[in-house]
Amino acid sequence: MEKGSFIPEHERYAQRLTTLEHRREASNNSTKSTERIGHKVRGIKVYRYFTNGERVLKLILLFGSVLLLMLYVISPLSKVREVTVTGNSELSPAQVEDATQVHLGRYIWGVMATRQAISRTAHQRNPQVKQIHLRLTGAQSLQMTVTENPIVGTVEIGQRDYNILANGQLQRAKGSQSRIEYQGFNKDGAQLKKTAVQVGQLKAVVRNGISTISYRPTKTAPNRLVIFMRDGNTVYANLNTVGKKLAYYPSIAATMKKPGVVDLQVGAYSYSYDSHDK
C-alpha cells in the first residue's frame, strides 16, 4: 500500500513542476513580447521626432527666405548703382538713359520686371532707339544694349529740317547737320520712307559717302533717284533697289579713273563726265 500510494504522489509532484515550468516560460515570453513592443514604440517616437523636426526646419527655411527677399526688395541694396550702355553709335549714354528713364537709384527688380515696357517707351521717347536689351551684370548693376535707328539724312519739309531715320521715320533736327540731304520728296512721303529704309541697309562707310539724294521721277522711270556722292560722282538708282545696288559702289568707283556717273537703275555700269559730253 505504501509503495502504491507513493507513485501517485510522485506523479502529482512532477505535474506541479511541469505546470510551474510552463508558467515560467509563458511569463518569459510575455516579458520578451512586451520588450519588443516597447522597442517598437520607442522607434516610432524617434521617427516621429526626426520627421517633425525636418518639417519645422523646412518651414523655418521657407519663411526665412521669404523674409530675406522682402528685406532685400525694400532695402537700398536693391537699387541701381551702375548703368553701362553698349551698342550705341550716334546716341550718347545720357540720351539712352533719358529715353529709358533708367537712372541710378531706381529699384533694380522693378527695372527687370518691366524691361519690355521700358524698351517700348524708350522708342516712343526717342525714335532713334530701336530696341533696348537689359541684363543684370551684378547685384546693383545693369547693362543696356542699344539697337539704333541710325540717321540716314535730313530733309526740309515746310521750312523745317527733319532727320530721316533708317526706318523711314522723321525726327526734328537739332542744330546743324552734316548728313545726307534729301530733295524732291516734299509731296512724296511714301517714296521718302522707302528710300530711307533702303539707305538704312547700307554700311556706314557707303552711307557716309552720300551728299544728296534727289527724287527725280520720269515717265519711264517713276522711281528714279539721282544721288550726289561726296567724291564727285553721280549715281542713278531706283529707290526700291538702291540699298542693295549701292553696296557695290565702292568697288565700281575704284575702277573709275575720272569722276563720272554710275548707273545702277538696270544693271551696273559707269562712265566719266567727259565721255558723256562727247
Side-chain angles (χ1 to χ4, degrees):
M1 290 295 294
E2 293 179 0
K3 187 175 180 180
S5 61
F6 175 76
I7 295 173
E9 187 69 24
H10 175 72
E11 289 179 355
R12 284 195 297 271
Y13 179 74
Q15 288 175 355
R16 289 176 183 175
L17 287 177
T18 301
T19 302
L20 290 174
E21 287 179 357
H22 286 314
R23 289 178 180 176
R24 190 181 297 112
E25 288 179 0
S27 177
N28 290 338
N29 291 335
S30 176
T31 302
K32 290 180 181 179
S33 177
T34 303
E35 289 178 354
R36 285 196 295 270
I37 293 173
H39 285 307
K40 289 182 179 179
V41 170
R42 285 193 295 272
I44 291 172
K45 288 182 178 180
V46 171
Y47 175 75
R48 287 179 177 175
Y49 173 79
F50 281 110
T51 54
N52 290 336
E54 184 179 357
R55 290 174 184 172
V56 172
L57 180 60
K58 287 180 178 179
L59 289 174
I60 292 174
L61 290 176
L62 176 62
F63 286 108
S65 300
V66 172
L67 179 62
L68 289 175
L69 180 61
M70 292 176 64
L71 290 174
Y72 169 75
V73 166
I74 63 175
S75 74
L77 294 175
S78 65
K79 292 184 177 181
V80 178
R81 296 190 62 182
E82 182 182 2
V83 178
T84 304
V85 179
T86 62
N88 56 313
S89 177
E90 297 178 354
L91 293 168
S92 67
Q95 288 176 308
V96 175
E97 291 181 19
D98 183 63
T100 59
Q101 294 293 291
V102 177
H103 303 298
L104 301 183
R106 279 195 62 174
Y107 284 108
I108 201 165
W109 55 266
V111 172
M112 295 306 296
T114 59
R115 54 187 180 272
Q116 293 183 350
I118 287 174
S119 181
R120 291 193 297 269
T121 302
H123 176 71
Q124 293 171 358
R125 291 175 61 87
N126 189 336
Q128 270 190 270
V129 178
K130 183 177 181 180
Q131 189 178 23
I132 293 285
H133 176 70
L134 289 161
R135 74 180 185 91
L136 290 174
T137 55
Q140 294 178 284
S141 58
L142 289 170
Q143 182 183 75
M144 292 193 293
T145 303
V146 187
T147 303
E148 294 181 341
N149 277 321
I151 297 175
V152 297
T154 60
V155 63
E156 183 180 345
I157 301 176
Q159 297 182 345
R160 289 184 177 179
D161 292 333
Y162 293 86
N163 290 329
I164 308 172
L165 305 182
N167 63 350
Q169 192 170 351
L170 298 180
Q171 183 184 46
R172 283 290 300 271
K174 297 179 181 180
S176 59
Q177 304 288 337
S178 58
R179 297 188 174 94
I180 304 169
E181 181 182 356
Y182 287 70
Q183 299 176 349
F185 292 95
N186 292 341
K187 297 180 181 180
D188 298 286
Q191 285 78 357
L192 176 61
K193 183 173 182 178
K194 287 181 181 179
T195 303
V197 171
Q198 286 286 316
V199 174
Q201 297 174 7
L202 295 170
K203 292 182 179 180
V205 65
V206 179
R207 191 168 61 240
N208 293 337
I210 302 173
S211 174
T212 305
I213 297 178
S214 180
Y215 178 50
R216 298 183 184 177
T218 65
K219 290 182 179 181
T220 57
N223 296 315
R224 187 174 74 126
L225 297 176
V226 179
I227 302 172
F228 299 98
M229 306 299 292
R230 298 186 189 278
D231 59 6
N233 291 328
T234 301
V235 178
Y236 295 138
N238 185 304
L239 64 83
N240 292 315
T241 59
V242 63
K244 179 180 179 180
K245 290 194 172 183
L246 202 60
Y248 300 103
Y249 175 79
S251 60
I252 296 173
T255 64
M256 299 174 65
K257 296 180 180 180
K258 295 180 180 181
V261 175
V262 178
D263 196 327
L264 302 176
Q265 297 177 93
V266 180
Y269 63 94
S270 63
Y271 53 87
S272 66
Y273 293 124
D274 294 340
S275 62
H276 185 263
D277 291 339
K278 294 178 181 179

